[in-house]
Amino acid sequence: MTTALVYSEKYLEHNPGEGHPERPERLKVIVNALKRAKLWGAPKIKVVEPRPTNRETLELIHDLGYIELVERLSKSETPLDGDTPVRKNTYELALLAAGGTIDAGRVVLSGDALNAFAIVRPPGHHATQKRGGGFCYFNNIAVMIERLKREFKLKRIFVLDFDAHHGNGTQDIFYDDPSVLYMSLHQDPLTLYPGTGFIEEMGSGEGEGYTVNVPLPPGSGDAEYMGAMKEIFVPLTEQFKPELFAVSAGFDAYVDDPLTQLRLSTPAYGWLTRFVVEQAERLCKGRVVFVLEGGYVVDALSEGVVNVVKTLTSEKPLTSVEPRCPSVIGELKRVLANYWEL
Ligand SMILES: [Zn+2]
């Protein structure tokens, strides 16, 4: 079966400026590493050229006023915030990033590929309905989910977000929606942007219990991630029974990332992916869509992506890590006991 990689050289044209960590080089290094690993161009890999999405599709998630604001700011090159500059081509390239993510999901749901990785930028998980920020303009993964829910009549989608930062945008968008279970592994929000993603944030209304935050203390690494995947991810996915797994794949929990204080190794991205692939094989015919978010040490980022793609193409798993459960995992299990048997 095929793994689709969605990528366009146009993504390199998004340039937040000199010294900005979310730089074009990130994708260049990823593609070169996939070529060196003989994955790019391999028979089981199909490279898909993305198509831009349009305003109507963005409106499934974002307020029209906010969409028009990004378009307007692109004309005047006015930044969204200090971290999130806007250039002439920002609006157009943000449409292409969301479009590429939709294409990745569509190729999987239509059965043309078993799984896919949208290697896109700008990233998306900090964008809410009416607000961008944290290098994000539109929420790529949310736009993909909402679009494809309609096209393929999906009822349950599981989002795993392992970017070191909490995906406040994705959480916010699906906060009262029980059709999307959002689980995030991230650094303790008391110590990192955007300052959300506490255990007590569990969803509201019909969506209560469908937001699951695992805030990890600074210094957490492979053992703690292994603990969270075994103790929370596996039983939760068993009970939720998703029809699609969507992964917000950020690589900034890596030990030397300059923006965070987590300590994940690059092989960990392989076995994190293995957990998702195995649950997807058991529950939804292997349907998995990865979407690139952060990751700012380019060598580690590219090694991490290579390990993900190797696992998606079913090369060997790379697991042998003793799990450790920080107290937060026990607390989370107690809080979730009202909703799930973990
Ligand atoms: Zn991040």
Side-chain angles (χ1 to χ4, degrees), residues 125 163-165 252:
H125 74 152
D163 189 280
H165 301 91
D252 45 8

Side-chain angles (χ1 to χ4, degrees), residues 198-221:
F198 294 96
I199 289 176
E200 297 74 23
E201 296 163 34
M202 282 185 306
S204 64
E206 286 183 19
E208 205 179 306
Y210 293 85
T211 292
V212 175
N213 284 308
V214 191
L216 295 164
S220 299

